[in-house]
Amino acid sequence: MAHYDLIIECLEKGLNVDTIYLDFSKAFDKVDHNIVMDKLEILGISGKVHKWIQSFLTERYQRVIVNGFLSEPMHMKSGVPQGSVIGPLLFLVLISDIDQNLTSHTSSFADDTRILRAILNYLDCNALQSDLDSVLQWSIDNNMTFNNSKFELIRYGTNQDLKENTFYTRSDGEHIEETCHVRDLGVTMSNTATFSEHINKIAESARDMCSWILRTFKSRSPELMLTTWKSLVLPILDYCSQLWCPIAKGEIQKLEKIQQSFTRKIKLNTPGLDYWDRLRYLRLYSLERRRERYRILYVWKILENLVPNIASEGKDGFTKVHSARNGVFVKLPPFKTSIPPKLRKLREGTLQIHGAKLFNSLPKEIRGLTGCSLHKFKQNLDAFLSTIQDKPLLKGYPSSFAQSNSLVQLTTLSQTGNQRPNHPS
């Protein structure tokens, strides 16, 4: 989310953004034990702990069984034991200085590393290439190997001249291939800075899973159908939705139709219920309400310091403001009104804007919950949500007075007296 926020911020300034995705070859298997131990000493880890880690890593042997035959033991000269708790931690120690002395923004998650830079002119392209060369030299110095063929370049922005007349080279001298879409930690990032491609992909994947469920299981009982829906389909539709949560009506409906279609197959004691009534009967949130709920929970966790704040360089991220009249609310970051409409729409859909508005739409007593467990906050939030109508807008269904199912508009209208909350039985 911080990565995406930085991209939007650069685009608002009229800059291009180039991001290079790197790929380690057999990352965890090639960790040099001596280099890791040296870096641990630099970090101040010495004495018995240092000796214990060295003993844990060294003098390891591996054997494999093929067709019932056991191989001879092979001495493992490098690598960290995968499946252990300390293995990934030691890998992070190894790559902790990969961005040393770089001027571009470098971020890593396990063995996935990306280098991002705002591009104003050709000098910035040269600087990004220089930083890439430094990272490639780092891999040589640390006995690590990059898989050059899997490097990917994605370019954001409207300056086509910079895109068409610049390129970046790998260690073998070949150009890094530019792509329109790249899979970043399970989320499809597009060079348009939208998540339309990601939404299309997860919609297709969710529909495929629904088809598999309906082919595999003969029963259409609520218990079985809801269990498979919640355990197999919802994880596809929910994953990282705090980042890509759509606010455009078309994309909201595209996802909502999947749940509408699946719940129609459930055999209910009360047949003939429309989708809105089925949601109440099955005690399900609409997918739109689920995503907004997840965003609210994440904002609260940020305010409670349970997760890192989302802030690019030079920004404060989420800040909590206290008011005697309104209680606790999130201060919206500065918003540029002069930017193009498409870019403005992207900014309005970010967690920093949309998530803050969702949180601020909650009642004063819920926004003021602090120092409590996440479970307690969820209980209070769900109790409030049960009093708010959940009628997602779909073709063939009458539009509500609010013309939207978003909590931002529903709660605003409720507070002004234009609409009374629907209390489900």
Side-chain angles (χ1 to χ4, degrees), residues 25 59 68 75-76 96 102 129 149 152 164 169 175-177 188-189 196 210 229 248 265 283 353 362 373-374 384 403:
S25 177
E59 297 304 318
H75 184 223
M76 305 304 295
S96 60
L102 300 188
Q129 178 65 59
S149 62
E152 292 180 291
E164 295 171 1
T169 57
H175 294 176
I176 299 175
E177 184 177 351
T188 301
M189 304 291 290
S196 298
C210 290
W229 171 257
K265 305 295 193 301
R283 303 179 67 85
I353 300 295
L362 299 176
S373 66
L374 177 61
F384 166 70
Q403 296 295 318

Side-chain angles (χ1 to χ4, degrees), residues 98-121:
I98 193 173
D99 60 346
Q100 192 171 17
N101 300 323
L102 300 188
T103 58
S104 302
H105 188 274
T106 306
S107 51
S108 299
F109 184 86
D111 58 338
D112 292 307
T113 299
R114 61 170 104 84
I115 308 176
L116 175 149
R117 189 177 185 90
I119 305 296
L120 176 62
N121 49 41

Side-chain angles (χ1 to χ4, degrees), residues 353-371:
I353 300 295
H354 184 238
K357 287 182 177 179
L358 287 168
F359 183 84
N360 291 341
S361 70
L362 299 176
K364 177 180 178 180
E365 59 272 15
I366 297 181
R367 285 184 278 114
L369 285 173
T370 183

